[in-house]
Protein backbone atom coordinates (compact mmCIF):
# COMPACT_ATOMS: atom_id res chain seq x y z
CA UNK A 1 0.00 0.00 0.00
CA UNK A 2 1.32 3.44 -0.89
CA UNK A 3 1.15 5.92 1.99
CA UNK A 4 0.23 9.47 0.99
CA UNK A 5 1.27 12.44 3.13
CA UNK A 6 -1.29 15.22 2.86
CA UNK A 7 -0.60 18.73 4.13
CA UNK A 8 -3.28 19.99 6.56
CA UNK A 9 -1.21 22.69 8.28
CA UNK A 10 -3.48 25.52 7.19
CA UNK A 11 -7.18 24.77 7.59
CA UNK A 12 -8.21 27.38 5.03
CA UNK A 13 -5.70 26.50 2.35
CA UNK A 14 -5.60 22.71 2.89
CA UNK A 15 -9.22 21.90 3.71
CA UNK A 16 -9.54 19.63 0.70
CA UNK A 17 -6.93 17.34 2.28
CA UNK A 18 -8.94 17.19 5.51
CA UNK A 19 -11.87 16.06 3.36
CA UNK A 20 -9.70 13.45 1.65
CA UNK A 21 -8.47 12.07 4.98
CA UNK A 22 -12.03 12.01 6.30
CA UNK A 23 -13.14 10.06 3.23
CA UNK A 24 -10.58 7.35 4.02
CA UNK A 25 -11.89 7.23 7.59
CA UNK A 26 -15.50 6.94 6.44
CA UNK A 27 -14.47 4.04 4.19
CA UNK A 28 -13.10 2.17 7.22
CA UNK A 29 -9.43 2.96 6.66
CA UNK A 30 -6.90 3.90 9.32
CA UNK A 31 -5.34 7.37 9.03
CA UNK A 32 -2.59 9.12 11.04
CA UNK A 33 -3.82 12.49 12.28
CA UNK A 34 -2.17 15.39 14.10
CA UNK A 35 -3.27 16.56 17.55
CA UNK A 36 -1.61 19.08 19.87
CA UNK A 37 -0.19 16.27 22.03
CA UNK A 38 1.05 13.53 19.68
CA UNK A 39 -0.13 12.10 16.34
CA UNK A 40 -2.98 9.60 16.58
CA UNK A 41 -3.74 6.52 14.49
CA UNK A 42 -7.41 7.12 13.84
CA UNK A 43 -10.36 5.00 12.76
CA UNK A 44 -14.17 5.18 12.86
CA UNK A 45 -15.16 4.41 16.48
CA UNK A 46 -18.29 2.58 15.25
CA UNK A 47 -16.69 0.36 12.60
CA UNK A 48 -15.43 -2.90 14.15
CA UNK A 49 -13.21 -3.82 11.20
CA UNK A 50 -11.60 -0.40 11.14
CA UNK A 51 -10.92 -0.61 14.89
CA UNK A 52 -9.32 -4.03 14.49
CA UNK A 53 -7.03 -2.59 11.80
CA UNK A 54 -5.57 -0.18 14.37
CA UNK A 55 -4.51 -3.09 16.59
CA UNK A 56 -2.97 -4.88 13.58
CA UNK A 57 -1.13 -1.85 12.19
CA UNK A 58 0.33 -0.85 15.57
CA UNK A 59 0.97 -4.37 16.80
CA UNK A 60 -1.04 -3.31 19.85
CA UNK A 61 -1.98 -5.92 22.47
CA UNK A 62 -5.72 -6.68 22.33
CA UNK A 63 -6.23 -5.88 26.02
CA UNK A 64 -5.18 -2.23 25.62
CA UNK A 65 -8.25 0.02 25.19
CA UNK A 66 -8.52 2.97 22.79
CA UNK A 67 -9.50 6.58 23.49
CA UNK A 68 -12.51 8.03 21.67
CA UNK A 69 -11.97 11.52 20.18
CA UNK A 70 -14.87 13.98 20.03
CA UNK A 71 -15.14 17.45 18.46
CA UNK A 72 -17.89 18.99 20.57
CA UNK A 73 -18.67 18.66 24.25
CA UNK A 74 -22.22 17.28 23.89
CA UNK A 75 -20.79 14.14 22.29
CA UNK A 76 -19.44 12.94 25.64
CA UNK A 77 -23.05 12.44 26.76
CA UNK A 78 -23.77 10.32 23.66
CA UNK A 79 -21.15 7.75 24.60
CA UNK A 80 -20.80 7.97 28.42
CA UNK A 81 -23.11 7.68 31.42
CA UNK A 82 -23.00 8.57 35.12
CA UNK A 83 -21.42 11.98 34.45
CA UNK A 84 -22.02 13.96 37.62
CA UNK A 85 -23.12 17.62 37.61
CA UNK A 86 -19.84 18.67 39.25
CA UNK A 87 -17.97 17.43 36.20
CA UNK A 88 -19.06 20.59 34.37
CA UNK A 89 -16.40 22.49 36.30
CA UNK A 90 -13.78 20.11 34.91
CA UNK A 91 -15.12 20.38 31.37
CA UNK A 92 -15.04 24.18 31.66
CA UNK A 93 -11.45 24.17 32.87
CA UNK A 94 -9.90 21.62 30.54
CA UNK A 95 -12.03 20.97 27.47
CA UNK A 96 -11.23 21.26 24.67
CA UNK A 97 -7.68 20.46 25.72
CA UNK A 98 -5.09 17.85 26.54
CA UNK A 99 -6.89 16.12 29.41
CA UNK A 100 -8.55 12.77 28.74
CA UNK A 101 -11.46 11.85 31.01
CA UNK A 102 -12.67 8.31 31.69
CA UNK A 103 -16.35 7.61 32.39
CA UNK A 104 -18.66 4.58 32.39
CA UNK A 105 -19.45 3.78 28.78
CA UNK A 106 -22.82 3.52 27.08
CA UNK A 107 -23.65 0.42 25.01
CA UNK A 108 -22.93 2.21 21.72
CA UNK A 109 -19.21 1.94 22.49
CA UNK A 110 -18.11 -1.60 21.72
CA UNK A 111 -15.95 -3.91 23.80
CA UNK A 112 -13.39 -3.84 20.98
CA UNK A 113 -12.79 -0.15 21.72
CA UNK A 114 -12.52 -0.59 25.47
CA UNK A 115 -10.88 -4.04 25.45
CA UNK A 116 -13.82 -5.31 27.48
CA UNK A 117 -13.70 -2.55 30.12
CA UNK A 118 -16.93 -0.92 31.30
CA UNK A 119 -15.37 2.52 30.99
CA UNK A 120 -14.21 4.59 28.02
CA UNK A 121 -11.56 7.33 27.77
CA UNK A 122 -12.75 10.47 26.00
CA UNK A 123 -10.41 13.00 24.43
CA UNK A 124 -11.63 16.40 23.19
CA UNK A 125 -8.52 17.85 21.51
CA UNK A 126 -7.55 21.49 21.56
CA UNK A 127 -6.15 21.26 18.02
CA UNK A 128 -8.54 22.84 15.52
CA UNK A 129 -7.09 20.62 12.80
CA UNK A 130 -7.86 17.47 14.81
CA UNK A 131 -11.39 18.68 15.49
CA UNK A 132 -11.95 19.49 11.81
CA UNK A 133 -10.86 15.96 10.85
CA UNK A 134 -13.26 14.37 13.37
CA UNK A 135 -16.11 16.64 12.26
CA UNK A 136 -15.52 16.01 8.57
CA UNK A 137 -15.39 12.23 9.14
CA UNK A 138 -19.01 12.50 10.43
CA UNK A 139 -18.34 9.95 13.16
CA UNK A 140 -16.20 9.77 16.30
CA UNK A 141 -12.63 8.55 16.05
CA UNK A 142 -10.73 6.08 18.15
CA UNK A 143 -7.04 6.93 18.13
CA UNK A 144 -4.09 5.60 20.09
CA UNK A 145 -0.73 7.30 19.60
CA UNK A 146 0.44 6.63 16.02
CA UNK A 147 3.75 4.90 16.91
CA UNK A 148 4.30 1.17 16.54
CA UNK A 149 3.55 -0.45 19.88
CA UNK A 150 6.43 0.03 22.36
CA UNK A 151 8.18 2.74 20.32
CA UNK A 152 8.41 6.46 21.20
CA UNK A 153 5.24 8.35 20.29
CA UNK A 154 5.15 10.24 16.99
CA UNK A 155 5.16 14.04 17.09
CA UNK A 156 5.58 14.76 13.35
CA UNK A 157 4.31 13.36 10.04
CA UNK A 158 7.85 12.15 9.33
CA UNK A 159 7.83 10.03 12.52
CA UNK A 160 4.50 8.54 11.44
CA UNK A 161 5.90 7.79 7.98
CA UNK A 162 8.91 6.01 9.49
CA UNK A 163 6.65 3.70 11.52
CA UNK A 164 3.66 3.29 9.21
CA UNK A 165 4.82 3.64 5.61
CA UNK A 166 3.09 0.98 3.50
CA UNK A 167 0.66 0.05 6.29
CA UNK A 168 -1.91 2.84 6.03
CA UNK A 169 -3.19 4.85 3.03
CA UNK A 170 -2.70 8.32 4.42
CA UNK A 171 -0.93 10.56 6.95
CA UNK A 172 -2.37 14.02 7.53
CA UNK A 173 0.57 16.36 8.13
CA UNK A 174 -0.28 19.13 10.60
CA UNK A 175 3.37 19.97 11.33
CA UNK A 176 5.16 19.21 14.62
CA UNK A 177 2.88 18.76 17.65
CA UNK A 178 2.88 21.87 19.83
CA UNK A 179 3.01 19.97 23.16
CA UNK A 180 4.73 16.71 22.27
CA UNK A 181 3.57 14.60 25.26
CA UNK A 182 0.36 12.57 25.39
CA UNK A 183 -2.71 13.84 27.23
CA UNK A 184 -3.11 13.65 31.00
CA UNK A 185 -5.60 10.86 31.82
CA UNK A 186 -8.03 11.10 34.74
CA UNK A 187 -10.43 8.33 35.72
CA UNK A 188 -13.76 9.96 36.61
CA UNK A 189 -15.61 6.66 37.05
CA UNK A 190 -14.40 6.17 40.64
CA UNK A 191 -15.71 7.96 43.76
CA UNK A 192 -12.69 10.28 43.78
CA UNK A 193 -10.95 11.10 40.45
CA UNK A 194 -7.71 9.16 39.91
CA UNK A 195 -4.77 10.29 37.78
CA UNK A 196 -3.88 7.38 35.50
CA UNK A 197 -1.26 9.05 33.30
CA UNK A 198 0.57 12.32 33.96
CA UNK A 199 0.84 14.21 30.69
CA UNK A 200 0.47 17.41 28.74
CA UNK A 201 -1.38 19.26 31.51
CA UNK A 202 0.63 19.37 34.73
CA UNK A 203 -0.48 17.88 38.01
CA UNK A 204 -0.55 21.32 39.66
CA UNK A 205 -2.95 22.67 37.02
CA UNK A 206 -5.20 19.65 37.48
CA UNK A 207 -5.13 19.90 41.29
CA UNK A 208 -6.22 23.55 41.13
CA UNK A 209 -9.50 22.33 39.65
CA UNK A 210 -9.68 18.83 41.21
CA UNK A 211 -8.26 19.16 44.74
CA UNK A 212 -9.31 15.61 45.70
CA UNK A 213 -7.43 14.03 42.78
CA UNK A 214 -5.77 10.78 43.76
CA UNK A 215 -2.26 10.44 42.42
CA UNK A 216 -0.03 7.61 43.48
CA UNK A 217 3.12 7.11 41.50
CA UNK A 218 3.03 3.44 42.53
CA UNK A 219 -0.31 2.99 40.81
CA UNK A 220 1.28 3.90 37.51
CA UNK A 221 3.92 1.19 37.40
CA UNK A 222 2.71 -2.34 37.72
CA UNK A 223 4.70 -5.37 38.72
CA UNK A 224 4.13 -9.10 38.18
CA UNK A 225 0.56 -10.22 37.64
CA UNK A 226 -1.20 -7.12 39.00
CA UNK A 227 -3.87 -5.67 36.75
CA UNK A 228 -3.13 -2.00 36.07
CA UNK A 229 -5.86 0.65 36.01
CA UNK A 230 -4.78 1.82 32.55
CA UNK A 231 -3.81 -1.36 30.74
CA UNK A 232 -1.26 0.41 28.51
CA UNK A 233 0.93 1.01 31.55
CA UNK A 234 2.15 -2.53 31.86
CA UNK A 235 4.11 -2.61 28.61
CA UNK A 236 7.63 -1.42 27.90
CA UNK A 237 6.99 1.86 26.24
CA UNK A 238 8.45 4.87 24.48
CA UNK A 239 11.59 2.84 23.93
CA UNK A 240 14.24 3.52 21.29
CA UNK A 241 16.36 0.60 20.02
CA UNK A 242 19.39 1.44 22.16
CA UNK A 243 19.29 0.97 25.94
CA UNK A 244 18.52 4.15 27.87
CA UNK A 245 20.06 5.19 31.19
CA UNK A 246 18.08 7.92 32.94
CA UNK A 247 20.08 9.99 35.41
CA UNK A 248 17.99 11.74 38.08
CA UNK A 249 19.02 14.30 40.68
CA UNK A 250 20.67 17.70 41.04
CA UNK A 251 21.50 19.00 37.56
CA UNK A 252 25.18 19.75 38.11
CA UNK A 253 25.72 16.31 39.62
CA UNK A 254 23.80 14.41 36.93
CA UNK A 255 25.74 16.18 34.20
CA UNK A 256 28.98 15.27 35.95
CA UNK A 257 27.92 11.62 36.31
CA UNK A 258 27.05 11.33 32.62
CA UNK A 259 30.33 12.99 31.68
CA UNK A 260 32.22 10.37 33.68
CA UNK A 261 30.24 7.40 32.34
CA UNK A 262 29.22 8.07 28.74
CA UNK A 263 31.60 6.83 26.06
CA UNK A 264 32.48 9.01 23.08
CA UNK A 265 30.20 7.17 20.67
CA UNK A 266 27.19 7.07 23.03
CA UNK A 267 24.38 9.59 22.73
CA UNK A 268 23.81 12.17 25.46
CA UNK A 269 20.53 14.07 25.85
CA UNK A 270 20.90 16.92 28.33
CA UNK A 271 19.75 20.44 29.14
CA UNK A 272 21.16 23.34 27.14
CA UNK A 273 22.94 24.71 30.21
CA UNK A 274 25.22 21.61 30.26
CA UNK A 275 26.07 21.17 26.58
CA UNK A 276 29.61 22.42 27.19
CA UNK A 277 30.30 19.44 29.47
CA UNK A 278 30.02 17.10 26.47
CA UNK A 279 32.21 18.70 23.84
CA UNK A 280 33.99 15.42 23.15
CA UNK A 281 30.75 13.42 22.57
CA UNK A 282 29.77 12.64 18.99
CA UNK A 283 26.02 12.61 19.58
CA UNK A 284 24.88 15.32 21.91
CA UNK A 285 21.32 16.66 21.96
CA UNK A 286 19.76 19.56 23.83
CA UNK A 287 16.42 19.43 25.68
CA UNK A 288 16.33 23.24 25.77
CA UNK A 289 16.62 25.08 29.06
CA UNK A 290 15.70 23.35 32.33
CA UNK A 291 13.97 26.60 33.33
CA UNK A 292 11.03 25.95 31.00
CA UNK A 293 10.37 22.31 30.25
CA UNK A 294 8.09 22.97 27.25
CA UNK A 295 10.95 22.48 24.81
CA UNK A 296 12.02 19.26 26.52
CA UNK A 297 8.44 17.93 26.26
CA UNK A 298 8.20 18.88 22.62
CA UNK A 299 11.56 17.40 21.65
CA UNK A 300 11.96 14.27 23.73
CA UNK A 301 10.32 11.70 21.41
CA UNK A 302 12.00 13.26 18.38
CA UNK A 303 15.42 12.95 20.05
CA UNK A 304 14.86 9.30 20.99
CA UNK A 305 13.93 8.65 17.37
CA UNK A 306 17.01 10.52 16.10
CA UNK A 307 19.19 8.22 18.24
CA UNK A 308 17.54 5.22 16.56
CA UNK A 309 18.40 6.59 13.13
CA UNK A 310 22.02 6.99 14.13
CA UNK A 311 22.17 3.46 15.49
CA UNK A 312 23.88 4.57 18.71
CA UNK A 313 24.51 1.77 21.20
CA UNK A 314 23.61 3.60 24.43
CA UNK A 315 21.66 6.74 25.35
CA UNK A 316 22.25 8.73 28.56
CA UNK A 317 19.53 11.19 29.50
CA UNK A 318 19.68 13.96 32.10
CA UNK A 319 16.28 13.88 33.87
CA UNK A 320 14.30 17.08 34.48
CA UNK A 321 13.23 17.82 38.03
CA UNK A 322 9.96 16.35 39.18
CA UNK A 323 7.79 19.50 39.07
CA UNK A 324 5.22 20.54 36.45
CA UNK A 325 5.78 18.93 33.05
CA UNK A 326 8.96 17.37 34.49
CA UNK A 327 6.82 14.79 36.26
CA UNK A 328 5.23 13.70 32.97
CA UNK A 329 8.53 13.64 31.09
CA UNK A 330 10.11 11.49 33.82
CA UNK A 331 7.14 9.11 33.63
CA UNK A 332 7.88 8.52 29.91
CA UNK A 333 11.65 8.28 30.35
CA UNK A 334 11.44 5.84 33.26
CA UNK A 335 9.48 3.53 30.96
CA UNK A 336 11.88 4.11 28.04
CA UNK A 337 14.77 3.16 30.34
CA UNK A 338 13.06 -0.06 31.44
CA UNK A 339 14.20 0.68 34.98
CA UNK A 340 17.85 1.59 34.24
CA UNK A 341 17.70 4.68 36.46
CA UNK A 342 20.56 6.26 38.40
CA UNK A 343 19.56 8.45 41.39
CA UNK A 344 22.20 10.89 42.52
O1 LIG B 1 -2.69 12.53 23.75
C1 LIG B 1 -3.22 11.43 23.67
O2 LIG B 1 -3.92 10.95 24.58
C2 LIG B 1 -3.01 10.63 22.37
C3 LIG B 1 -3.65 11.40 21.21
C4 LIG B 1 -3.53 10.68 19.89
O3 LIG B 1 -4.98 11.70 21.51
N1 LIG B 1 -3.54 9.30 22.50
C5 LIG B 1 -2.92 8.33 23.25
O4 LIG B 1 -3.54 7.09 23.18
O5 LIG B 1 -1.93 8.55 23.90
P1 LIG B 1 -2.81 5.75 23.70
O6 LIG B 1 -3.76 4.66 23.33
O7 LIG B 1 -1.45 5.65 23.15
O8 LIG B 1 -2.79 5.90 25.25
C6 LIG B 1 -4.00 5.83 25.99
C7 LIG B 1 -3.79 5.16 27.33
C8 LIG B 1 -3.37 3.70 27.24
O9 LIG B 1 -2.39 3.45 28.25
C9 LIG B 1 -4.65 2.93 27.59
O10 LIG B 1 -4.40 1.70 28.24
C10 LIG B 1 -5.36 3.91 28.52
O11 LIG B 1 -5.06 5.18 27.99
N2 LIG B 1 -6.83 3.75 28.48
C11 LIG B 1 -7.64 3.85 27.41
N3 LIG B 1 -8.93 3.61 27.76
C12 LIG B 1 -8.93 3.37 29.08
C13 LIG B 1 -9.94 3.04 30.06
N4 LIG B 1 -11.22 2.91 29.71
N5 LIG B 1 -9.56 2.86 31.34
C14 LIG B 1 -8.26 3.00 31.70
N6 LIG B 1 -7.26 3.28 30.84
C15 LIG B 1 -7.59 3.48 29.56
MG1 LIG C 1 0.56 5.33 23.22
Amino acid sequence: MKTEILNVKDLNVNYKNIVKGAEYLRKGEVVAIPTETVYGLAADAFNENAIKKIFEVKGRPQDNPLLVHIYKLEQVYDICKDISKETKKIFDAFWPGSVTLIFNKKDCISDTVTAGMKTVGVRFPESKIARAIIKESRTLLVAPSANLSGKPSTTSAEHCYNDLNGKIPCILDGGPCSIGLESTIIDMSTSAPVLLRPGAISLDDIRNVIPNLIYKKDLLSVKGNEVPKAPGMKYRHYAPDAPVTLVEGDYTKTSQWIKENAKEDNAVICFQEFLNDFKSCQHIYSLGSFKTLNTAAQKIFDLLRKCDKLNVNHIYIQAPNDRGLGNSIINRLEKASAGDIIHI
Side-chain angles (χ1 to χ4, degrees), residues 15-31 33 42-47 50 68-72 75 128-143 172:
Y15 205 82
K16 62 174 189 319
N17 285 340
I18 300 250
V19 172
K20 215 168 164 190
E23 272 164 10
Y24 278 121
L25 288 162
R26 279 208 297 281
K27 277 192 284 184
E29 293 293 345
V30 170
V31 173
I33 66 165
D44 180 349
F46 302 102
N47 179 333
V68 177
H69 293 58
I70 61 174
Y71 71 89
K72 54 182 179 186
Q75 292 169 326
K128 289 203 169 83
I129 300 171
R131 280 188 270 151
I133 298 165
I134 309 167
K135 185 172 181 197
E136 199 58 48
S137 70
R138 293 181 219 143
T139 180
L140 301 181
L141 300 178
V142 278
L172 297 180

Side-chain angles (χ1 to χ4, degrees), residues 39-58:
Y39 275 69
L41 188 60
D44 180 349
F46 302 102
N47 179 333
E48 288 289 297
N49 282 331
I51 301 165
K52 284 181 190 146
K53 276 187 204 167
I54 290 184
F55 286 90
E56 279 162 31
V57 166
K58 259 187 83 97

Side-chain angles (χ1 to χ4, degrees), residues 35 37-40 58 60 64-67 69 100 102 117 119-121 123 143-145 181-183 185 196-197 229-233 237:
T35 82
T37 55
V38 298
Y39 275 69
K58 259 187 83 97
R60 186 176 176 97
N64 196 358
L66 304 174
L67 306 178
H69 293 58
T100 294
I102 291 177
M117 292 177 87
T119 55
V120 63
R123 169 124 157 77
S145 50
L181 283 185
E182 303 85 348
S183 61
I185 303 182
L196 295 188
R197 178 174 74 184
K229 285 281 285 175
M233 285 165 198
H237 232 129

